[in-house]
Amino acid sequence: MTDGRRSTAREAIGLVADGFSELPVKAGEYAPDGPLSWQGYDASRARAASRTGEEESVVCGTAMVGTTSAVLISFEFGFLGGSLGERTGDRLEAAYTYAREHRLPVVSLVATGGSRMQEGMRALVQLQRVARQSALTREAGLPQLAVLRDPTTGGGWATLGAGADVILALPGAQVGFAGSRVRPPDADPGAYTAEAQLAAGSIDAVVPPEELPGVLELWLRLLTRPSTTPAPPPSALGRADLPTTGREAVDNARSPQRPRAQAYLDAYFTHRAPISGDRTGGGTEPGTSPGPGMLCGFGIRAEDGRTIAYAAQTGTATRPTGYRTAARLIRLADQLGIPVLTLVDTPGAANDAAAERQGAGAAIAELFAAVATARTPLTTLLIGEGGSGGALALAAPDNTWATPDSYFSVIAPELAAAILKRPADQVTATADELRIRPQDLVELGVVKGVVSPDKNE
């Protein structure tokens, strides 16, 4: 909304979708004043219904978001603070079940203060019910998207919100597990905002209301078009000639003029939507310091309009957040049956003390495992430096290609010479011994081939 008030459930639906059709509600048997016989509870419900025009704190139905049909779940904060009770759970379970039966994505427009205290533990256990429905929907290979409105707190954030595959939020929305009335008195209110959750890697984007319909339409288009055909490797954007020595291969890969991941992604896709964050407190928002060294998301391939997921190193040392975000990307693509393209370009994993404290080894292991167990096809293009295990973790074991201005090495030639206690003038010879040129990698069976600037060889 633009007038400072919170949007209603149906206004939120109207902002992003057309042709909303509400799902039928199965009437259950409920005790007077709820399971706790909370005095005045029925009267409170009646007043909320009169004030909002809704019978419960959530409205569920189907609608078109752009050209994609979806199940929409929209919270009515005006109905008892958008809280979750038994009847809310009934509606949510019915919505998820309908989505699986009709193979539809689920879009949750969340605005909730948490579980309904007038129903006690019977309300709280609805979170388990919702979590199970979300898990079943994930197992069915259907995408779940959440839009966080103001506020999104408590169990609603910890299930429908944070449990979604892609999480968007409106600017300035209050987002956090603790609501405003139950936080420590000295808590920083800035930590409980959409912007703070983005910086912490807990959501993917903060989207202004006027942009939300287009962003949501793109995401649904991207995530609902599976494919079993591998992504072709991109054509090379840099030099066409192969290096004659290992030293030349290294120099070419380290050249400031060499095309980087951003150029490859721009050439390969017509539209892209990035994911942000590893969901464990590590953000990937541009401008964070130090950066994660990884770009991840989904895009529409220019050649055929297919959805391809991408994880691309940016030529800098890759940090634990970058590895975990790439692993998250690959697992999501695998769940949805979307092919993955990875671009390898790093001098190696970040090895400073901060990276070790953030679990660099565990993060790299997580990515190795995601690549090794993926059922969806993976394609890798080595576009620059391939520095040791920090680069190999992102590479498809049987479908990796290289550009002419790249190299892959077990260790940088300078470091190899240092370990072997060789003088600096032997670094060039060491580079040749390591056999790190693109053509060497083909002969060694490490890569399938070298791509040219205009066609795959």
Side-chain angles (χ1 to χ4, degrees), residues 374-439:
R375 295 159 297 178
T376 197
L378 272 65
T379 303
T380 297
L381 181 63
L382 174 67
I383 64 171
E385 292 195 81
S388 195
L392 187 66
L394 196 61
D398 56 357
N399 194 23
T400 291
W401 302 74
T403 63
D405 45 7
S406 66
Y407 79 90
F408 221 144
S409 181
V410 64
I411 190 172
E414 298 88 347
L415 297 178
I419 290 173
L420 296 171
K421 299 182 178 179
R422 293 178 174 178
D425 60 6
Q426 291 191 28
V427 170
T428 296
T430 303
D432 287 333
E433 289 179 274
L434 287 169
R435 298 197 66 193
I436 60 179
R437 301 175 303 168
Q439 58 267 44

Side-chain angles (χ1 to χ4, degrees), residues 195-218:
E195 289 77 8
Q197 297 292 352
L198 176 64
S202 297
I203 67 175
D204 292 295
V206 174
V207 184
E210 64 272 15
E211 297 177 16
L212 185 60
V215 171
L216 202 54
E217 177 182 1
L218 175 60

Side-chain angles (χ1 to χ4, degrees), residues 173-246:
Q174 179 187 169
V175 180
F177 187 65
S180 60
R181 298 184 183 182
V182 297
R183 299 171 193 157
D186 59 347
D188 176 12
Y192 301 84
T193 63
E195 289 77 8
Q197 297 292 352
L198 176 64
S202 297
I203 67 175
D204 292 295
V206 174
V207 184
E210 64 272 15
E211 297 177 16
L212 185 60
V215 171
L216 202 54
E217 177 182 1
L218 175 60
W219 267 117
L220 286 172
R221 179 183 175 189
L222 288 168
L223 300 185
T224 56
R225 286 160 175 76
S227 172
T228 58
T229 305
S235 298
L237 298 180
R239 60 193 310 134
D241 55 311
L242 291 170
T244 57
T245 67

Side-chain angles (χ1 to χ4, degrees), residues 36-123:
L36 306 185
S37 298
W38 187 286
Q39 186 174 2
Y41 178 42
D42 280 353
S44 295
R45 287 183 49 86
R47 288 193 297 271
S50 175
R51 183 170 56 252
T52 64
E54 305 295 350
E55 296 179 357
E56 194 36 78
S57 61
V58 69
V59 176
C60 304
T62 58
M64 297 297 295
V65 181
T67 58
T68 304
S69 181
V71 167
L72 267 67
I73 296 169
S74 187
F75 279 76
E76 176 53 68
F77 190 78
F79 193 105
L80 301 179
S83 55
L84 282 77
E86 285 188 282
R87 279 178 262 210
T88 322
D90 291 342
R91 292 182 175 217
L92 294 174
E93 183 174 70
Y96 274 107
T97 300
Y98 186 94
R100 292 194 299 274
E101 290 175 347
H102 295 82
R103 303 294 303 167
L104 296 175
V106 177
V107 177
S108 298
L109 308 173
V110 189
T112 173
S115 299
R116 194 168 299 169
M117 63 181 181
Q118 296 93 332
E119 296 185 20
M121 284 301 299
R122 290 283 290 272

